[in-house]
Structures are given as C-alpha cells and as structure tokens.
Amino acid sequence: MFDEKLKRLFSPNSIAVIGASDSFDKLGYHVMKSLVKGNYKFPIYPVNHSAQNIWGIKAYPSILNIPQPVDLAVIVVPAKSVPDVLYECGKKGVSGVVLITAGYKEIEAEEGKILEDEIKRIASEFEIPIIGPNTFGFVNLTDSVNASFTYEFSLIKKGGVTLISQSGGFCHICGFLAMEERMGMAKLMSLGNRVNIDFPEAVRYFMEKDEATKVIALYIEGIDEPKRLFKTIDSIKNKKPVVAYKAGKGEKGDEASRFHTGSLAGNYRIWKGAIRQANILEVNSIEELIDTAKVIDLCPFLKGNRVAVLSSQAGPGIIAADTLLLSGMVLSKFSSQTQENINKLLPPFAIRTNPVDMGPAWYSPETILNILKVVADDENTDGIIFIAIFASANLNLTKDMEKIIEGMEAFKKPIIACLNAPQGIWDEEIKILDGKKGIAIIHTPERAARAMASLWEISRLKD
Amino acid sequence: MFDEKLKRLFSPNSIAVIGASDSFDKLGYHVMKSLVKGNYKFPIYPVNHSAQNIWGIKAYPSILNIPQPVDLAVIVVPAKSVPDVLYECGKKGVSGVVLITAGYKEIEAEEGKILEDEIKRIASEFEIPIIGPNTFGFVNLTDSVNASFTYEFSLIKKGGVTLISQSGGFCHICGFLAMEERMGMAKLMSLGNRVNIDFPEAVRYFMEKDEATKVIALYIEGIDEPKRLFKTIDSIKNKKPVVAYKAGKGEKGDEASRFHTGSLAGNYRIWKGAIRQANILEVNSIEELIDTAKVIDLCPFLKGNRVAVLSSQAGPGIIAADTLLLSGMVLSKFSSQTQENINKLLPPFAIRTNPVDMGPAWYSPETILNILKVVADDENTDGIIFIAIFASANLNLTKDMEKIIEGMEAFKKPIIACLNAPQGIWDEEIKILDGKKGIAIIHTPERAARAMASLWEISRLKD
C-alpha cells in the first residue's frame, strides 16, 4: 500500500531533520553529518526550535515552516515530543518518516506502549510509512542517502546486497565487516519497533521496486507474523534470492530479543522449517551472511555441484576441497582431454588432479591462465575455486596478478577466488578482481568452499 | 635425541645459506632477504660457487670454507646437489639443517625416493636434524630468526603460539591471518617430507625446551605414525595445550594429501577419536585455530562454563549469547547483589539481565567499567564477553575507550573482547587492549563465543 511513498522515503528529493543540531553529543548532529558528508544530492532542511543555521544550512522552527515540499522526515527529538512532531509531518504531507528516537514499547514502563500507540494512530491517519521507532535509520548507498546517525556507512562499496535488520547493532557490525570484505551493498536498514514497516513491507519493496537490490539479507530476532512474511514472498512474481540469519535460537536468546524489540523470537525449530519452505537460505554467522550474499550478488548461478579447486599451494587447496566435500559438493572429475591439457601445463611432480596444485606454474601467469581456461571449458566443472596465497619468493607474480585477473573475466562459470597476502601487497589486485563480473573474492579457502555450497543451494532453490 | 641440536637449529648463533643468491628469482635471494631484513642478530654466511659477496656479505664457495663454526645450514640448491652439500654440512659439524629444496618422495618419479633415502642416510651418519625437504623453512619470532623464503613472516607479532604445520601454504595463510588478527606467535614451521623431524620430535621440543611457546597449534594432513605422536605427548610431564586442525577428512582429501607430502591422511574417524584421547583440541577452520590458540595464549583458564555477555548494543549481544548456548556454555545467572548493582547502573529500559545491553551507559566509561567490575566480581560468572560496536554517534567513547581498557586488566577472569569499527577508528585501542593480560580480542561476537567455549574445553582437558 505504501509502494509509491516508500520510493520517496528511500530515494527522497528532500529531507528534513527534525531535531538537527550543531552539538556533537546530539544524535541530530550525527544525522546531519551523515547526510552532508555522505554526499546527499538534494536539499536538507534542519528543523530546530531555536537555531538559525545548522551545519551551515538554514534551519526552521517547525517542518511546517519549510516552504518547499519534504519527501522524508528524520526525527530525533525526545520520545514525548514525537507525536506532535509526527502530526506536523502529516500536515506537511511527507512521504515517509525515519523515527530514530527510542523509548516506546521496548521499555518496561507502560508509558512507552501508550506513546507508540499514539504514533501508530497518527501514522495511520496520514498514511505515513515509518521506519522505526528505535532504529539507527537506513542507508541507501545506490543514491547516496545516509539517513542514519553513523556517517561511516557511506564508506561501504556500492553493490547489490540489501540488508533488512531487526537490530541496529547488527547493521553496524555487518556494515563494518562488509567494508573489510569489500561487499557491495544497495541499502541497509534497521526496522526497529516496526510501527507499520515490518519485514513483509520492506522485503516486498526491495524485491519489486528497487532495481539495485539483487539479493536480500535478513537479520531476524523475532517477528509477530512470520506467516505474513512467507506469504508475501510467495506472492511476488520475480523473486530475488533471500538469505536469513536468525538470532534467538536458544530460549535465553528468545528472552533477550523480546526485551530488545518487543517481540518473541518464537520457537526456532518451527522457524527453521518455515524459512526453508519459503526458499530462504539460512546462514549461521555474520561472515557466512556476507560471503553468501556477496557470491549471490556477483556470480552467475551454478548449474551443478561439481567444483574444481585450483590453488597456488597444495595445503590450502586440500582444505578447500575438504570443506566442499563436507558441504555436500563434489570435486569435478576432469575429462580426459582436460587432464591431458593440464598434464602438458604442469610438471609430473605437482598434484594435477582436482584439487590442482598450480605451484610449479606459479612463475608463469600465462600457464595459470591456461589452466584456468582449460578447467573452465570442461563440461564436468560447474564452478571454480581459485586460491592464491602470497609467498615472498613468488613476488614476481604480484606484477602479473593483474593479467590473470583480466583473463578470468571471460569465463562464464562462477569463480570464487581466495587471494591472501599481508596487508598492502595485493590490495590493488583484490580491488580490481572484486569488480569483475562473475568473480567473488572470499577471505579463506574454507569460507570460499562454503560460499560455493551456498551458491549451489540458492541456485537449486531458484528452480 | 636431538634436543641440544634442536636448540641450536631453532636459535642458531650463525647461519650458512647454501645456494644464497643476489638474483631476485632465486629462493636463495629470498632466504637472504628474510634473514637480513628480519633482523637476524648473528653472523650470516652466504655459500655460492662463484660470487664473492651476496647481499653485501662475504660469500664462500663451500660451507667447509667458512672459518667460523656454523649452527644452522639453510639449503636451497637443486635436489641432485643436495647429498653432496649435506655431506659437507656433516663434515662441518652443523647442529641442524633446513632443507627447502623440493623434488623428493613427493614426486611421481622413482628418482625422488632414491635421493631422499640418500639424504636420510647422510643425516643419520652425522646425526643432523633436518627440517624438510620440501619446506618453506621456519620462523623463530622470539629470537628474530626468519629461516624461510618469505620475509613477511617477520611482521607477525611476537607471542606464545607455535604452529607446526605439514604444509607451507598453510603456514603462509595462517601467518597472514595471524597478522590481521594480531595473534602473537613464537615459532612457525612446515615439516615438509619429515626426513627425521616429524610431529613427535617438534612437539616434544616446543613443549619441553621452548619457554616462549605457550600453546601448540598443529596442521596435520596425514602422518605415518600417529601413535608415536600421541605416546610422545603422553610421556611429557608439563604438557602445553595443543590445538589441531586436521585436513583430508574426506577420501578425496586423503588422496590429494598423499601426493602433497607423501603420506596417507588416514581414516578421519580413527583420527578424531585418537586426537580426543590425547587431550588435543580439534578445530575446524583457520580462523578457529587462530581464535582458539590466541585465547589460550592470552587468557587464564576457565573455572566453569558460566559466561556473562556485556554488549554495547543488544543485537550483537544476543548473537554472542545464542552462540554460547549452542556451544554448550551457560549464560551466568547474576547474584541478586550483582543484579541490584547493575539495576542501579543502567536505566530500566535496557536489558539488564544476561546478556546485558550497556547501550544507555555508552556515554559514560565509568559506568561501563563499573558494570564490568560488578560482573567480574560475581562468583556466578566464570568468564566475560565484552562487545563494543562503534557507532558514529558514540564517537565520544573513542576517547574514553582507553580508560575502559586500562581498567579491564585488573579482572582475574578471562575476558574475550569483540571491538568492531571501520578501519582506522579503534586501531590504537585494539592494539592496546590486545597486549593486556587476560584479555583476547576476537573479531566477531560468534567467534568470541566459540573461542570462549574452546577455552572451556581446553580448561577441562587440563585437569
């Protein structure tokens, strides 16, 4: 019902910050910083009782005093002032609200619940979609809209992963790890107390209306109407892959998450079954969430589960092969033609069957590229794990790594690459490779193998 | 039998590099670089047929021409020349040899096996302990001896973890991850083909003779005499904790590792049982190896499995609590006195039971330290997980983080801290905290929880 309004909420042509401040210890300062330093391209209207200017921008005593239309209002005033401010937003005709302020149904006092009901009523009267309350906000990396109190989110690489989270803290740690792992993101948001924007509304919007989103990642503590989420997904025609991390698996976790955002985490077993039925891929750690989402965003789907492991050293290749087998994947058996070709490219003392130890070819980027090509062309191989671990004595390769990388883009099968070197040595190469079509860089051989297995799971769910 | 000689091998007072070179594409160049740039404190003697000087250091045509005694010889000449060179080392009376050269029993050709037998015979005649052949060498971080072809190992932080690996590639990736995770290491070595230094010899030496080693990490693909390793460990009086990562769990992995270092990985199930009986803690990924070894090195043992989770945000705390419960740990139930004290320190809208959401106290480092103190003093708590996730609006805390860190060192219970921020923001704080007694920093909440569970496992094995 909010579709058009949500478009304006997430990609607004103007933003009012109600409670904007020049004082460093106020959230209103940090929201202004996020918008300004995050390069928001359209007008920002600070709203503040007393100040003339905030962050050097003309301020207004109320949103009603702003002469231009306002698409999005970000509210950071104290909980008790919110109903009045929200009413004014309704009068102004905003398309949406981000309500950062906390102190509602998540607190022990009855007062919080009463205030939240009041907010719900006003939102319904004016038909305003609200993200929050009790949220850090959202970040739209695609269009450079950082409507949150943490500017640093703007440093995340742009890409196709959208995170819908029930916890702002989770968004922070996941965002920082995304930076480390160079995962490209489209949007990230914390739902908070979910006055009228809950998982189903958010998922539907990003699946149906947001082109930049290629894969949706969910962090779920507990939702009131799980069936509604699954029904929503079921009703969407062109589904995008969904990856979910469920917290509150134990009883104690349940209890804690009830306090956190005011709803029970529910029985995990029931959840697990339901998630699977809805074709949602479950992950079990932040890193797995990132690896899986990244690989789905960057790689084509797998047509089968036969994987070739090509490694610069035997050990890391063995570990990757091991992890693949433990994850239900198969090591591809090369055709006799492929094996013959590899045997021509590698000396007899290297492991030339799968996993291939490319060590002896490590001084010749042409040979490495040729091995890659031969394996990528083999119809018995569905995907490739390429491992390169730096060694000082192989420093020559550093110069040539770019050549290998350029060559890899031509392959049409998914390639998960694990490039590992001390900080600073391959940073540039990793950056180049991470932008290539069909290739995802994952931090360790085991994680690369598990990400390949996840890609296979999601490829099968897709059918 | 090699004990005294091993001391001289790992902490030599002089080193000859046989096959030293000034030519960048030779391994002998990189071994020289590792020693020189790695700040080796004693004389280095390059040995080279024709050169007068190598790396600006006087060179000798043979080790027999060096007028001074030589403790360690690092050999990088071609496989066929090794027997002659090794014989000269014997004549010279070296204490030990690092034989980097490959091309022995790991290759398909019969020639390799014959050469290796010859090496074995000479080593036995002169009673020379040999690391290798087919090894990258070893690094003694304690005494700044980088006897390997990768200089960058010298950048690893000094500490108490010693890695004995069956794969050089594994040492490389593990070393680079150790840098990222700031794990302190004492030694790292790759056994290669194990002519006469195998797991039992190495483990015995580091347990009995190397004070700097506090915990031993093993990377095992397959060993010929597993019983000998377990018997060796069993016979040692003051055992140090051992953590092991076993590769070749599947059949295919077995096959690959047989080619790699010439021995069967063996049936994994039999292994698993034997490892457990020998009080060795098994880990299942490189990260888990690092986290576990780091925590054992830095933290006191746990007296029980009751853990308190104190988090700057609810979400990450819930995830840590969840993972603890799934790993067989218990969330400590605070005494009524502790609970009362926390209730005084935190407002009623925060989660004040375990996991504690310290969010509302996040502007006051004194309050955070007080919460930590109250919980550390509670006799119902055996260990603490402390989580701090950066948020721009909490930037004030960045200044004060050092104060919190300083205060934490006074606690006598193990603290695993998870500090997460975009690169550059808490780097200094993390560095300070990582040096504190009893505190280990682990990258994510889930990994922190699993590391705590591993610490509990090893604490119980210790009894």
Side-chain angles (χ1 to χ4, degrees), chain B residues 19 43 48 85 124 149 158 167 207-208 215 243 280 287 304 345 394 402:
Chain B
N48 182 297
V85 159
S124 158
F149 54 65
K158 288 185 188 190
S167 150
M207 275 209 189
E208 290 187 338
V215 48
V243 174
I280 296 174
E287 283 114 325
L345 291 161
N394 293 338
E402 241 181 270

Side-chain angles (χ1 to χ4, degrees), chain A residues 171-414:
Chain A
C171 277
H172 280 75
I173 188 166
C174 191
F176 303 153
L177 292 177
M179 284 181 214
E180 284 175 25
E181 308 284 349
R182 301 162 312 282
M183 178 174 80
M185 299 191 75
K187 319 284 179 311
L188 57 166
M189 67 180 298
S190 171
L191 295 169
N193 292 7
R194 295 158 286 141
V195 150
N196 59 22
I197 299 296
D198 204 338
F199 281 107
E201 287 76 22
V203 168
R204 174 182 291 281
Y205 175 75
F206 290 113
M207 277 209 187
E208 291 187 335
K209 306 288 176 182
D210 189 56
E211 268 186 45
T213 297
K214 305 294 179 203
V215 46
I216 293 171
L218 307 177
Y219 170 72
I220 301 174
E221 287 181 354
I223 50 177
D224 307 309
E225 307 159 287
K227 277 188 191 159
R228 195 161 70 85
L229 170 61
F230 302 134
K231 272 192 184 162
T232 301
I233 294 178
D234 205 44
S235 74
I236 294 169
K237 269 189 187 162
N238 294 307
K239 291 182 195 43
K240 293 172 182 173
V242 181
V243 174
Y245 185 13
K246 177 77 177 70
K249 293 181 182 110
E251 267 178 51
K252 268 281 181 183
D254 262 20
E255 200 181 303
S257 69
R258 178 166 59 86
F259 281 114
H260 184 203
T261 45
S263 55
L264 273 165
N267 185 302
Y268 175 60
R269 281 187 197 191
I270 297 172
W271 256 107
K272 215 173 155 72
I275 280 178
R276 204 165 280 180
Q277 262 196 317
N279 279 3
I280 297 174
L281 184 63
E282 195 183 12
V283 293
N284 289 299
S285 71
I286 307 174
E287 283 115 323
E288 200 187 334
L289 180 89
I290 287 176
D291 293 347
T292 308
K294 187 180 183 180
V295 164
I296 297 171
D297 182 25
L298 297 177
C299 294
F301 286 112
L302 276 166
K303 298 214 169 75
N305 66 345
R306 301 162 305 168
V307 182
V309 178
L310 311 179
S311 179
S312 61
Q313 289 105 336
I318 291 172
I319 289 175
D322 235 21
T323 312
L324 280 170
L325 295 172
L326 294 172
S327 310
M329 303 298 276
V330 166
L331 294 176
S332 54
K333 189 162 166 39
F334 300 141
S335 73
S336 54
Q337 186 55 56
T338 304
Q339 193 59 62
E340 239 172 73
N341 286 330
I342 293 175
N343 290 357
K344 274 180 217 156
L345 292 161
L346 281 175
F349 57 88
I351 307 171
R352 301 188 289 188
T353 50
N354 190 8
V356 180
D357 174 7
M358 301 183 300
W362 212 233
Y363 295 91
S364 157
E366 286 77 19
T367 310
I368 292 176
L369 249 182
N370 276 332
I371 299 172
L372 266 159
K373 198 179 150 25
V374 161
V375 171
D377 284 345
D378 189 329
E379 58 180 19
N380 299 307
T381 292
D382 300 304
I384 295 175
I385 290 181
F386 174 83
I387 302 172
I389 312 294
F390 171 82
S392 200
N394 293 339
L395 207 61
N396 265 328
L397 189 78
T398 303
K399 282 203 310 285
D400 293 318
M401 190 58 105
E402 241 178 273
K403 215 182 289 177
I404 300 175
I405 288 164
E406 292 293 337
M408 278 161 75
E409 207 178 8
F411 308 140
K412 288 195 185 98
K413 291 171 183 171

Side-chain angles (χ1 to χ4, degrees), chain A residues 74-133:
Chain A
V74 182
I75 300 177
V76 283
V77 298
K80 281 174 198 166
S81 316
V82 169
D84 288 348
V85 160
L86 188 63
Y87 188 82
E88 289 178 358
C89 288
K91 282 278 194 194
K92 177 69 183 170
V94 302
S95 294
V97 161
V98 168
L99 182 46
I100 290 177
T101 310
Y104 297 95
K105 80 169 174 190
E106 81 277 11
I107 70 173
E108 284 174 21
E110 182 64 16
E111 188 194 352
K113 215 192 145 326
I114 293 168
L115 273 172
E116 185 154 327
D117 285 344
E118 177 69 1
I119 286 168
K120 219 174 233 168
R121 200 193 51 72
I122 301 169
S124 158
E125 182 184 338
F126 291 100
E127 290 181 9
I128 314 173
I130 295 183
I131 297 174

Side-chain angles (χ1 to χ4, degrees), chain A residues 315-316 389-390, chain B residues 135-139 153 156 163-178 185 187-191 219:
Chain A
I389 312 294
F390 171 82
Chain B
T135 175
F136 81 102
F138 77 84
V139 187
F153 283 121
I156 299 172
L163 170 66
I164 306 168
S165 169
Q166 207 168 339
S167 150
F170 186 87
C171 277
H172 279 75
I173 188 166
C174 191
F176 303 153
L177 290 179
M185 301 193 73
K187 319 284 179 308
L188 58 166
M189 67 180 298
S190 172
L191 294 169
Y219 170 73

Side-chain angles (χ1 to χ4, degrees), chain A residues 24-27 30 33-34 103 106-108 149-152 155 167-170 172-173 176-177 179-180 219 221 245-260 284-287 313-316 318-319 321-323 325-326 331 333 348-355 357 363 387 389-396 418 420-423 425 443-447 450, chain B residues 24-27 30 33-34 103 106-108 149-152 155 167-170 172-173 176-177 179-180 219 221 245-260 284-287 313-316 318-319 321-323 325-326 331 333 348-355 357 363 387 389-396 418 420-423 425 443-447 450:
Chain A
F24 183 83
D25 57 359
K26 299 280 182 193
L27 285 177
H30 294 280
K33 181 181 171 185
S34 298
E106 81 277 11
I107 70 173
E108 284 174 21
F149 54 66
T150 294
Y151 151 68
E152 285 75 8
L155 303 173
S167 150
F170 186 87
H172 280 75
I173 188 166
F176 303 153
L177 292 177
M179 284 181 214
E180 284 175 25
Y219 170 72
E221 287 181 354
Y245 185 13
K246 177 77 177 70
K249 293 181 182 110
E251 267 178 51
K252 268 281 181 183
D254 262 20
E255 200 181 303
S257 69
R258 178 166 59 86
F259 281 114
H260 184 203
N284 289 299
S285 71
I286 307 174
E287 283 115 323
Q313 289 105 336
I318 291 172
I319 289 175
D322 235 21
T323 312
L325 295 172
L326 294 172
L331 294 176
K333 189 162 166 39
F349 57 88
I351 307 171
R352 301 188 289 188
T353 50
N354 190 8
D357 174 7
Y363 295 91
I387 302 172
I389 312 294
F390 171 82
S392 200
N394 293 339
L395 207 61
N396 265 328
C418 169
N420 219 293
Q423 224 192 349
I425 292 184
H443 207 59
T444 72
E446 299 104 327
R447 284 171 60 179
R450 277 192 293 265
Chain B
F24 183 84
D25 56 359
K26 298 279 182 195
L27 285 177
H30 294 281
K33 180 182 172 185
S34 298
E106 81 277 11
I107 70 172
E108 283 173 23
F149 54 65
T150 294
Y151 150 69
E152 286 75 9
L155 303 173
S167 150
F170 186 87
H172 279 75
I173 188 166
F176 303 153
L177 290 179
M179 285 181 212
E180 284 175 25
Y219 170 73
E221 286 180 355
Y245 184 14
K246 177 77 176 69
K249 293 182 182 111
E251 265 177 52
K252 268 281 181 184
D254 262 21
E255 199 181 302
S257 69
R258 176 167 62 85
F259 282 113
H260 184 203
N284 290 299
S285 72
I286 308 174
E287 283 114 325
Q313 288 105 335
I318 290 172
I319 289 174
D322 235 22
T323 312
L325 294 172
L326 294 172
L331 295 177
K333 190 165 164 36
F349 58 86
I351 307 171
R352 302 188 288 188
T353 51
N354 192 6
D357 174 8
Y363 295 91
I387 301 171
I389 312 295
F390 170 82
S392 200
N394 293 338
L395 206 63
N396 265 328
C418 169
N420 220 292
Q423 224 191 350
I425 292 185
H443 207 61
T444 71
E446 299 104 328
R447 285 171 61 179
R450 276 192 294 264

